[in-house]
């Protein structure tokens, strides 16, 4: 029987995803570079582990024997995504990750034809905002007549993990993009817009999220903008490498996430839908493990796919305590 491999399994998100996958009974093998940490986690879950770096193609290919699906949780993804996507295509292994970095999604677009030819699926963003916002946007688009523009906003509550902080800081300093007429274009830096997550309108700042790629790919709506509202500790300051792995269980329980999708359609009519869910890290790990289980069970299509496009707009509502309300 083929297995789900989680690479970066001893990291903050990878560890939680491994726990969820093992609890679901998914045939599992953990992987990464730290043998001591992998051995300890694998023993606690009663599963196999493999230790390998990514610098040698032959070593990577050998490590993927018996693997049907690879879930990459090893950030920064700029250093791991292309290596593991290409390894998946060489070895007939479907690729998933939990990346929040735009470049990995642009890469998946470029590799779409090659992946289709290899019969392999590329599903970056199998958890996190891509699954969350993609399903919410798809749900709202289905309620709109001739949709032309989508605005999505996410309420990030509580502390960030070390990996998320590094990615977030890179995104904040990078060019702000939006999708206009189906193309990614530069947007005015520092743009602020108000959204109501359920407790009254709050200011949200425009950001460049991979959802600008995935929502467009799933819906075909030509105009897309993304925004974020941050409460709690916000973006950490100082040396990011000194941060802890991420928020503990009690902090996650105390800080739920919300998201809003506003879709403009014919005659300027606007429909709104609001999502409420568990903490983003809990959602990401749970959704990624569930996506891995479903892909391993046969739910896949070759080429670059999105969670909402593959599993349907209802996928997010199957993850933990997630609800979507139409306004």
């Amino acid at each position: 029987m083929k297995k789900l491999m989680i690479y970066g399994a001893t990291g903050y998100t990878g560890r939680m995803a491994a726990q969820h996958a093992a609890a679901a009974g998914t045939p599992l093998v953990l992987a990464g570079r730290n043998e001591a940490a992998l051995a300890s986690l694998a023993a606690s879950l009663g599963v196999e582990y493999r230790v390998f770096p990514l610098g040698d193609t032959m070593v990577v290919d050998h490590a993927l024997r018996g693997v049907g699906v690879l879930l990459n949780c090893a950030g920064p993804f700029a250093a791991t995504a292309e290596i593991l996507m290409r390894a998946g295509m060489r070895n007939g292994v479907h690729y998933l990750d939990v990346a929040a970095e735009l470049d990995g999604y642009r890469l998946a677009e470029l590799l779409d034809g090659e992946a289709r030819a290899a019969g392999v699926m590329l599903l970056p963003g199998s958890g996190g905002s891509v699954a969350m916002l993609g399903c919410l946007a798809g749900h709202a688009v289905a309620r709109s007549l001739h949709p032309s523009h989508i605005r999505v906003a996410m309420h990030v509550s509580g502390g960030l993990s070390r990996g998320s902080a590094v990615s977030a800081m890179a995104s904040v300093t990078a060019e702000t993009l939006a999708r206009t007429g189906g193309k990614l274009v530069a947007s005015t830096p520092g743009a602020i817009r108000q959204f109501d997550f359920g407790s009254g309108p709050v200011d949200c700042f425009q950001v460049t999220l991979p959802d600008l790629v995935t929502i467009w790919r799933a819906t075909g709506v030509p105009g897309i903008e993304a925004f974020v509202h941050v409460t709690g500790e916000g973006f950490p300051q100082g040396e990011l490498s000194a941060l802890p792995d991420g928020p503990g269980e009690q902090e996650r329980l105390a800080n739920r996430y919300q998201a809003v999708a506003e879709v403009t359609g014919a005659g300027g009519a606007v429909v709104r839908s609001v999502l409420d869910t568990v903490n983003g890290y809990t959602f990401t790990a749970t959704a990624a493990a569930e996506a891995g289980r479903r892909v391993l069970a046969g739910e896949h299509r070759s080429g670059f796919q999105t969670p909402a496009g593959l599993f349907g707009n209802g996928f997010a509502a199957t993850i933990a305590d997630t609800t979507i309300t139409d306004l």
Side-chain angles (χ1 to χ4, degrees), residues 161-184:
S161 73
R162 182 169 56 240
S164 294
V166 171
S167 292
M169 287 303 175
S171 297
V172 166
T173 57
E175 184 178 36
T176 302
L177 300 176
R179 190 169 289 276
T180 302
K183 299 183 181 299
L184 285 176

PDB file of all heavy atoms in Angstrom, residues 161-184:
ATOM      1  N   SER A 161       3.584  31.683  14.172  1.00  0.00           N
ATOM      2  CA  SER A 161       4.707  30.755  14.290  1.00  0.00           C
ATOM      3  C   SER A 161       5.958  31.422  13.718  1.00  0.00           C
ATOM      4  O   SER A 161       5.882  32.411  12.993  1.00  0.00           O
ATOM      5  CB  SER A 161       4.416  29.459  13.529  1.00  0.00           C
ATOM      6  OG  SER A 161       4.498  29.669  12.127  1.00  0.00           O
ATOM      7  N   ARG A 162       7.097  30.858  14.049  1.00  0.00           N
ATOM      8  CA  ARG A 162       8.352  31.405  13.531  1.00  0.00           C
ATOM      9  C   ARG A 162       8.376  31.366  12.006  1.00  0.00           C
ATOM     10  O   ARG A 162       8.744  32.347  11.355  1.00  0.00           O
ATOM     11  CB  ARG A 162       9.536  30.603  14.100  1.00  0.00           C
ATOM     12  CG  ARG A 162      10.906  31.117  13.657  1.00  0.00           C
ATOM     13  CD  ARG A 162      12.027  30.464  14.447  1.00  0.00           C
ATOM     14  NE  ARG A 162      11.993  29.006  14.356  1.00  0.00           N
ATOM     15  CZ  ARG A 162      11.858  28.179  15.396  1.00  0.00           C
ATOM     16  NH1 ARG A 162      11.715  28.670  16.614  1.00  0.00           N
ATOM     17  NH2 ARG A 162      11.848  26.869  15.231  1.00  0.00           N
ATOM     18  N   GLY A 163       7.948  30.256  11.424  1.00  0.00           N
ATOM     19  CA  GLY A 163       7.944  30.143   9.971  1.00  0.00           C
ATOM     20  C   GLY A 163       6.997  31.128   9.314  1.00  0.00           C
ATOM     21  O   GLY A 163       7.323  31.737   8.300  1.00  0.00           O
ATOM     22  N   SER A 164       5.813  31.311   9.913  1.00  0.00           N
ATOM     23  CA  SER A 164       4.849  32.264   9.356  1.00  0.00           C
ATOM     24  C   SER A 164       5.370  33.687   9.449  1.00  0.00           C
ATOM     25  O   SER A 164       5.140  34.502   8.554  1.00  0.00           O
ATOM     26  CB  SER A 164       3.518  32.166  10.102  1.00  0.00           C
ATOM     27  OG  SER A 164       2.909  30.930   9.879  1.00  0.00           O
ATOM     28  N   ALA A 165       6.065  33.995  10.540  1.00  0.00           N
ATOM     29  CA  ALA A 165       6.598  35.341  10.718  1.00  0.00           C
ATOM     30  C   ALA A 165       7.619  35.667   9.639  1.00  0.00           C
ATOM     31  O   ALA A 165       7.631  36.767   9.076  1.00  0.00           O
ATOM     32  CB  ALA A 165       7.216  35.485  12.101  1.00  0.00           C
ATOM     33  N   VAL A 166       8.472  34.701   9.333  1.00  0.00           N
ATOM     34  CA  VAL A 166       9.481  34.914   8.286  1.00  0.00           C
ATOM     35  C   VAL A 166       8.794  35.149   6.944  1.00  0.00           C
ATOM     36  O   VAL A 166       9.121  36.085   6.208  1.00  0.00           O
ATOM     37  CB  VAL A 166      10.434  33.701   8.207  1.00  0.00           C
ATOM     38  CG1 VAL A 166      11.345  33.815   6.998  1.00  0.00           C
ATOM     39  CG2 VAL A 166      11.261  33.597   9.484  1.00  0.00           C
ATOM     40  N   SER A 167       7.793  34.311   6.607  1.00  0.00           N
ATOM     41  CA  SER A 167       7.068  34.469   5.348  1.00  0.00           C
ATOM     42  C   SER A 167       6.289  35.772   5.314  1.00  0.00           C
ATOM     43  O   SER A 167       6.252  36.468   4.293  1.00  0.00           O
ATOM     44  CB  SER A 167       6.110  33.295   5.139  1.00  0.00           C
ATOM     45  OG  SER A 167       6.823  32.102   4.912  1.00  0.00           O
ATOM     46  N   ALA A 168       5.652  36.115   6.440  1.00  0.00           N
ATOM     47  CA  ALA A 168       4.829  37.325   6.497  1.00  0.00           C
ATOM     48  C   ALA A 168       5.674  38.569   6.310  1.00  0.00           C
ATOM     49  O   ALA A 168       5.286  39.505   5.599  1.00  0.00           O
ATOM     50  CB  ALA A 168       4.074  37.380   7.818  1.00  0.00           C
ATOM     51  N   MET A 169       6.826  38.611   6.952  1.00  0.00           N
ATOM     52  CA  MET A 169       7.686  39.785   6.817  1.00  0.00           C
ATOM     53  C   MET A 169       8.166  39.946   5.378  1.00  0.00           C
ATOM     54  O   MET A 169       8.253  41.055   4.853  1.00  0.00           O
ATOM     55  CB  MET A 169       8.872  39.691   7.769  1.00  0.00           C
ATOM     56  CG  MET A 169       8.483  39.924   9.220  1.00  0.00           C
ATOM     57  SD  MET A 169       7.665  41.525   9.439  1.00  0.00           S
ATOM     58  CE  MET A 169       7.201  41.449  11.159  1.00  0.00           C
ATOM     59  N   ALA A 170       8.446  38.842   4.719  1.00  0.00           N
ATOM     60  CA  ALA A 170       8.856  38.911   3.315  1.00  0.00           C
ATOM     61  C   ALA A 170       7.713  39.419   2.456  1.00  0.00           C
ATOM     62  O   ALA A 170       7.914  40.210   1.528  1.00  0.00           O
ATOM     63  CB  ALA A 170       9.309  37.535   2.840  1.00  0.00           C
ATOM     64  N   SER A 171       6.469  39.003   2.771  1.00  0.00           N
ATOM     65  CA  SER A 171       5.313  39.432   1.994  1.00  0.00           C
ATOM     66  C   SER A 171       5.015  40.907   2.210  1.00  0.00           C
ATOM     67  O   SER A 171       4.622  41.618   1.288  1.00  0.00           O
ATOM     68  CB  SER A 171       4.086  38.593   2.378  1.00  0.00           C
ATOM     69  OG  SER A 171       4.296  37.238   2.063  1.00  0.00           O
ATOM     70  N   VAL A 172       5.193  41.376   3.444  1.00  0.00           N
ATOM     71  CA  VAL A 172       4.901  42.771   3.746  1.00  0.00           C
ATOM     72  C   VAL A 172       5.846  43.701   2.993  1.00  0.00           C
ATOM     73  O   VAL A 172       5.463  44.765   2.516  1.00  0.00           O
ATOM     74  CB  VAL A 172       4.990  43.022   5.267  1.00  0.00           C
ATOM     75  CG1 VAL A 172       5.029  44.521   5.571  1.00  0.00           C
ATOM     76  CG2 VAL A 172       3.804  42.388   5.974  1.00  0.00           C
ATOM     77  N   THR A 173       7.102  43.300   2.849  1.00  0.00           N
ATOM     78  CA  THR A 173       8.074  44.172   2.193  1.00  0.00           C
ATOM     79  C   THR A 173       8.064  44.002   0.676  1.00  0.00           C
ATOM     80  O   THR A 173       8.632  44.826  -0.033  1.00  0.00           O
ATOM     81  CB  THR A 173       9.496  43.873   2.711  1.00  0.00           C
ATOM     82  OG1 THR A 173       9.791  42.489   2.498  1.00  0.00           O
ATOM     83  CG2 THR A 173       9.597  44.173   4.200  1.00  0.00           C
ATOM     84  N   ALA A 174       7.413  42.952   0.188  1.00  0.00           N
ATOM     85  CA  ALA A 174       7.372  42.721  -1.257  1.00  0.00           C
ATOM     86  C   ALA A 174       6.307  43.604  -1.896  1.00  0.00           C
ATOM     87  O   ALA A 174       5.521  44.270  -1.231  1.00  0.00           O
ATOM     88  CB  ALA A 174       7.087  41.245  -1.541  1.00  0.00           C
ATOM     89  N   GLU A 175       6.273  43.586  -3.227  1.00  0.00           N
ATOM     90  CA  GLU A 175       5.302  44.374  -3.971  1.00  0.00           C
ATOM     91  C   GLU A 175       3.879  43.896  -3.679  1.00  0.00           C
ATOM     92  O   GLU A 175       3.611  42.701  -3.605  1.00  0.00           O
ATOM     93  CB  GLU A 175       5.604  44.225  -5.463  1.00  0.00           C
ATOM     94  CG  GLU A 175       4.733  45.071  -6.377  1.00  0.00           C
ATOM     95  CD  GLU A 175       5.118  44.898  -7.834  1.00  0.00           C
ATOM     96  OE1 GLU A 175       5.489  43.776  -8.223  1.00  0.00           O
ATOM     97  OE2 GLU A 175       5.054  45.891  -8.577  1.00  0.00           O
ATOM     98  N   THR A 176       2.965  44.846  -3.478  1.00  0.00           N
ATOM     99  CA  THR A 176       1.561  44.506  -3.268  1.00  0.00           C
ATOM    100  C   THR A 176       0.903  44.283  -4.624  1.00  0.00           C
ATOM    101  O   THR A 176       0.965  45.138  -5.501  1.00  0.00           O
ATOM    102  CB  THR A 176       0.825  45.624  -2.511  1.00  0.00           C
ATOM    103  OG1 THR A 176       1.473  45.850  -1.255  1.00  0.00           O
ATOM    104  CG2 THR A 176      -0.616  45.247  -2.266  1.00  0.00           C
ATOM    105  N   LEU A 177       0.263  43.121  -4.768  1.00  0.00           N
ATOM    106  CA  LEU A 177      -0.343  42.750  -6.039  1.00  0.00           C
ATOM    107  C   LEU A 177      -1.837  42.543  -5.888  1.00  0.00           C
ATOM    108  O   LEU A 177      -2.346  42.242  -4.803  1.00  0.00           O
ATOM    109  CB  LEU A 177       0.287  41.464  -6.583  1.00  0.00           C
ATOM    110  CG  LEU A 177       1.791  41.464  -6.865  1.00  0.00           C
ATOM    111  CD1 LEU A 177       2.243  40.075  -7.292  1.00  0.00           C
ATOM    112  CD2 LEU A 177       2.146  42.495  -7.920  1.00  0.00           C
ATOM    113  N   ALA A 178      -2.557  42.710  -6.982  1.00  0.00           N
ATOM    114  CA  ALA A 178      -3.970  42.365  -7.090  1.00  0.00           C
ATOM    115  C   ALA A 178      -4.162  41.751  -8.471  1.00  0.00           C
ATOM    116  O   ALA A 178      -3.275  41.824  -9.327  1.00  0.00           O
ATOM    117  CB  ALA A 178      -4.856  43.591  -6.912  1.00  0.00           C
ATOM    118  N   ARG A 179      -5.317  41.126  -8.690  1.00  0.00           N
ATOM    119  CA  ARG A 179      -5.601  40.582 -10.021  1.00  0.00           C
ATOM    120  C   ARG A 179      -6.648  41.475 -10.680  1.00  0.00           C
ATOM    121  O   ARG A 179      -7.726  41.693 -10.139  1.00  0.00           O
ATOM    122  CB  ARG A 179      -6.091  39.133  -9.948  1.00  0.00           C
ATOM    123  CG  ARG A 179      -6.150  38.467 -11.321  1.00  0.00           C
ATOM    124  CD  ARG A 179      -6.377  36.974 -11.208  1.00  0.00           C
ATOM    125  NE  ARG A 179      -5.232  36.245 -10.707  1.00  0.00           N
ATOM    126  CZ  ARG A 179      -4.202  35.826 -11.442  1.00  0.00           C
ATOM    127  NH1 ARG A 179      -4.161  36.102 -12.739  1.00  0.00           N
ATOM    128  NH2 ARG A 179      -3.215  35.159 -10.894  1.00  0.00           N
ATOM    129  N   THR A 180      -6.270  42.007 -11.831  1.00  0.00           N
ATOM    130  CA  THR A 180      -7.141  42.899 -12.583  1.00  0.00           C
ATOM    131  C   THR A 180      -7.207  42.414 -14.022  1.00  0.00           C
ATOM    132  O   THR A 180      -6.169  42.206 -14.662  1.00  0.00           O
ATOM    133  CB  THR A 180      -6.607  44.343 -12.553  1.00  0.00           C
ATOM    134  OG1 THR A 180      -6.509  44.783 -11.194  1.00  0.00           O
ATOM    135  CG2 THR A 180      -7.528  45.282 -13.309  1.00  0.00           C
ATOM    136  N   GLY A 181      -8.420  42.210 -14.529  1.00  0.00           N
ATOM    137  CA  GLY A 181      -8.556  41.698 -15.882  1.00  0.00           C
ATOM    138  C   GLY A 181      -7.886  40.354 -16.074  1.00  0.00           C
ATOM    139  O   GLY A 181      -7.433  40.030 -17.178  1.00  0.00           O
ATOM    140  N   GLY A 182      -7.826  39.580 -15.010  1.00  0.00           N
ATOM    141  CA  GLY A 182      -7.212  38.258 -15.075  1.00  0.00           C
ATOM    142  C   GLY A 182      -5.710  38.252 -14.919  1.00  0.00           C
ATOM    143  O   GLY A 182      -5.096  37.183 -14.905  1.00  0.00           O
ATOM    144  N   LYS A 183      -5.076  39.412 -14.783  1.00  0.00           N
ATOM    145  CA  LYS A 183      -3.614  39.488 -14.684  1.00  0.00           C
ATOM    146  C   LYS A 183      -3.194  40.036 -13.325  1.00  0.00           C
ATOM    147  O   LYS A 183      -3.885  40.881 -12.741  1.00  0.00           O
ATOM    148  CB  LYS A 183      -3.051  40.377 -15.791  1.00  0.00           C
ATOM    149  CG  LYS A 183      -3.341  39.863 -17.203  1.00  0.00           C
ATOM    150  CD  LYS A 183      -2.680  40.758 -18.244  1.00  0.00           C
ATOM    151  CE  LYS A 183      -2.995  40.268 -19.650  1.00  0.00           C
ATOM    152  NZ  LYS A 183      -2.500  38.890 -19.897  1.00  0.00           N
ATOM    153  N   LEU A 184      -2.059  39.559 -12.830  1.00  0.00           N
ATOM    154  CA  LEU A 184      -1.498  40.092 -11.595  1.00  0.00           C
ATOM    155  C   LEU A 184      -0.811  41.415 -11.890  1.00  0.00           C
ATOM    156  O   LEU A 184       0.076  41.491 -12.742  1.00  0.00           O
ATOM    157  CB  LEU A 184      -0.495  39.108 -10.990  1.00  0.00           C
ATOM    158  CG  LEU A 184      -1.081  37.875 -10.303  1.00  0.00           C
ATOM    159  CD1 LEU A 184       0.037  36.948  -9.841  1.00  0.00           C
ATOM    160  CD2 LEU A 184      -1.956  38.268  -9.125  1.00  0.00           C
TER     161      LEU A 184
END
